[in-house]
Amino acid sequence: MFGPTLDRLAVPKFFYPFAGRLLPWLGWLAAGLLGLGAWWGLAVAPADYQQGDSYRIMFIHVPAAWLSMFTYMVMAGGAFVFLVWRMKLADMLAKCCAPLGASFTLLTLVTGSLWGKPMWGTWWAWDARLTSELVLLFLYLGLIALRGAIDEPQRAGRATALLALVGVVNIPIIHFSVEWWNTLHQPASLTRMDGPAIHPAMLTPLLLMIGGFMVYFVAVLLQRLRCEILEREQQARWLTELDAP
Amino acid sequence: MIGQVFRRELLLAWRRPGDTLLPLSFFVIVGSLFPLGVGAEPQLLHAIGPGVVWIAAVLATLLGLPRLFAADQQSGALEQLLLSPAPLTLLVAIKVLAQWLTCGLPLALAAPLLALGFGLNFGELGILLAGLLLGTPVLYLLGAISAALTLGLRGGGALLGLLVLPLYVPVLIFGSGAVQAAAQGFGPGANLSLLAAMLALALVFAPWATAAALRISLD
């Protein structure tokens, strides 16, 4: 199954069939993890002593928030590789990440807002986490818009890559600026030095959901990459010789 | 070479005073719309004053940015700059400096007058001015990157706003935060230091990124 070596995978010709073989496995794994996590989180996990049942939106909200930032890092990695080594596939990766990241960010904002209404009594607060997540959404939208405005794929890729890297520098600055400016959101409870501050009964389904979101992200990314390859390599010979799937 | 570019930029600005006066009058007009929109209650105005002045400054900055490289691109001067032996990073830094001197500095100097209308006292006016002097160069440095990226694109002006405004968030927060901290009895030192740190960071990285963006745009 893992026929081609790693460096050959950077070539669309070898990447395309490889991703195609990997996709069904990832799809089933994502469905399994998400199904198990959702069932565990919604039906098995105990109600919170403070928040009752409404905390259960966490099982969507936290993985989405995680992925909204993780996607940006993947995209920025692709942007960097493309700017330095001019690797076509890295640019396609960065391009495919942007709409995915924007959707995870939007999902985070919407679920957070739905959670915020019963907990904080308001749909929206100008709190640190919320505000920096909103700015992240604007960054994604800016990247998508910039790529859309430039016709030449090569130039569009390089311009977007540069902007993505400028955004990487800015994300921590924005994060800490709004952190010091105003904060209401609960502090991180998973990534702490002394271990997670969540009871295992809730932690297990949460980790399952995060894993499911990750695998789902990779699967959708691969599918998008395949479409992108088809679109950009229309004229390539290997593609015309390929049996249409 | 560097000195000539700098003199040329200042001379061009001098010959086209509209480029300076337009953002400046826009800044004052936006600022004076707020009392009309939210009501002229002195306490309210004093509370929102610093933020209003900063937002007006950000918007006025945005107004001048598309012109930063556009005229030079049309006349072909930009390609000459790219081909010149002097490092492009330095030339870009000089252009941004000239733009700030002719647009940003007048804006910062006019800000205390506008803020007077919001009932800020003299101490607060001084802090506002200090914040703007540190913060507006950052706005121009970051704006230059986006201006270079959107050079020659259709709808470039609107796109420029979408790209650059998220990057302006920290400057806005600490700039208006300095005055608000002073009004609440805390010192403005922390906020102003952070602005200075951002200026240092932007001075190092922004001209370099702008030069790279220009090379991409004119490729």
Side-chain angles (χ1 to χ4, degrees):
Chain A
M1 176 177 168
F2 294 92
T5 52
L6 265 180
D7 55 326
R8 279 172 81 196
L9 272 182
V11 183
K13 180 180 169 181
F14 297 111
F15 181 83
Y16 183 84
F18 173 74
R21 277 203 302 278
L22 213 54
L23 256 173
W25 298 90
L26 288 174
W28 284 113
L29 183 60
L33 283 172
L34 289 175
L36 185 63
W39 169 73
W40 198 323
L42 296 184
V44 179
D48 189 69
Y49 76 100
Q50 237 179 352
Q51 306 190 4
D53 275 330
S54 59
Y55 88 96
R56 292 184 197 276
I57 201 167
M58 167 182 92
F59 296 116
I60 304 288
H61 177 71
V62 173
W66 193 302
L67 263 293
S68 70
M69 286 170 277
F70 181 75
T71 308
Y72 197 96
M73 294 326 287
V74 173
M75 181 180 67
F80 181 77
V81 169
F82 178 62
L83 272 191
V84 177
W85 291 288
R86 299 285 161 90
M87 198 185 282
K88 253 190 304 181
L89 196 65
D91 178 42
M92 296 185 199
L93 178 82
K95 181 182 181 183
C96 296
C97 276
L100 276 174
S103 355
F104 283 129
T105 314
L106 192 63
L107 184 63
T108 310
L109 289 171
V110 171
T111 51
S113 175
L114 291 174
W115 196 4
K117 186 58 184 170
M119 290 306 111
W120 299 340
T122 172
W123 296 108
W124 181 263
W126 291 99
D127 142 80
R129 297 283 192 88
L130 276 69
T131 313
S132 41
E133 194 72 12
L134 186 66
V135 174
L136 184 65
L137 179 65
F138 291 147
L139 284 176
Y140 277 125
L141 294 182
L143 285 162
I144 296 170
L146 181 64
R147 195 184 282 272
I150 308 177
D151 296 323
E152 238 179 296
Q154 182 79 3
R155 195 192 142 191
R158 288 170 67 200
T160 323
L162 187 74
L163 186 65
L165 292 182
V166 173
V168 172
V169 181
N170 248 274
I171 282 177
I173 298 181
I174 292 170
H175 178 77
F176 286 110
S177 69
V178 287
E179 190 104 314
W180 296 334
W181 170 54
N182 203 342
T183 203
L184 172 71
H185 203 285
Q186 55 191 341
S189 35
L190 272 187
T191 48
R192 297 196 329 179
M193 293 302 279
D194 51 350
I198 300 183
H199 192 272
M202 295 174 184
L203 182 63
T204 321
L206 184 58
L207 290 180
L208 279 173
M209 287 301 275
I210 292 178
F213 264 70
M214 292 273 244
V215 180
Y216 169 80
F217 163 68
V218 176
V220 177
L221 188 62
L222 288 184
Q223 182 62 53
R224 273 180 174 274
L225 273 169
R226 272 164 64 89
C227 295
E228 187 69 23
I229 290 173
L230 284 182
E231 209 162 291
R232 281 208 215 180
E233 307 264 298
Q234 281 168 24
Q235 314 298 336
R237 201 176 155 157
W238 66 268
L239 201 55
T240 50
E241 283 168 356
L242 201 74
D243 284 338
Chain B
M1 177 75 198
I2 300 295
Q4 279 169 343
V5 171
F6 186 56
R7 264 208 306 281
R8 172 175 173 270
E9 291 293 324
L10 290 186
L11 193 65
L12 280 174
W14 182 253
R15 296 270 161 82
R16 285 183 310 213
D19 285 5
T20 302
L21 292 176
L22 192 69
L24 194 59
S25 25
F26 182 78
F27 170 65
V28 176
I29 291 170
V30 169
S32 30
L33 284 181
F34 275 86
L36 305 175
V38 301
E41 201 186 323
Q43 264 190 328
L44 176 68
L45 286 186
H46 182 257
I48 65 169
V52 167
V53 171
W54 263 97
I55 290 171
V58 162
L59 293 179
T61 306
L62 215 54
L63 206 60
L65 280 178
R67 282 199 308 272
L68 186 54
F69 301 111
D72 279 354
Q73 191 207 15
Q74 275 157 16
S75 68
L78 198 58
E79 262 142 1
Q80 298 301 318
L81 286 185
L82 249 80
L83 293 172
S84 83
L88 185 60
T89 309
L90 200 58
L91 294 174
V92 164
I94 292 297
K95 272 186 78 75
V96 177
L97 172 68
Q99 171 96 350
W100 178 74
L101 279 177
T102 54
C103 295
L105 186 61
L107 218 125
L109 295 178
L113 278 176
L114 183 61
L116 214 52
F118 288 83
L120 270 66
N121 63 38
F122 279 107
E124 290 162 357
L125 290 181
I127 296 164
L128 181 72
L129 180 64
L132 281 163
L133 288 177
L134 285 171
T136 46
V138 184
L139 300 183
Y140 278 93
L141 284 164
L142 289 177
I145 305 175
S146 308
L149 283 175
T150 55
L151 191 58
L153 298 182
R154 56 193 136 77
L159 185 58
L160 179 66
L162 180 62
L163 299 189
V164 86
L165 286 178
L167 305 182
Y168 282 177
V169 167
V171 182
L172 185 68
I173 288 175
F174 294 125
S176 62
V179 186
Q180 277 156 2
Q184 287 163 8
F186 306 106
N191 285 291
L192 291 181
S193 310
L194 282 164
L195 276 180
M198 279 191 267
L199 177 57
L201 204 66
L203 268 176
V204 176
F205 290 111
W208 178 74
T210 310
L214 277 179
R215 287 215 176 85
I216 293 170
S217 284
L218 295 180
D219 202 11

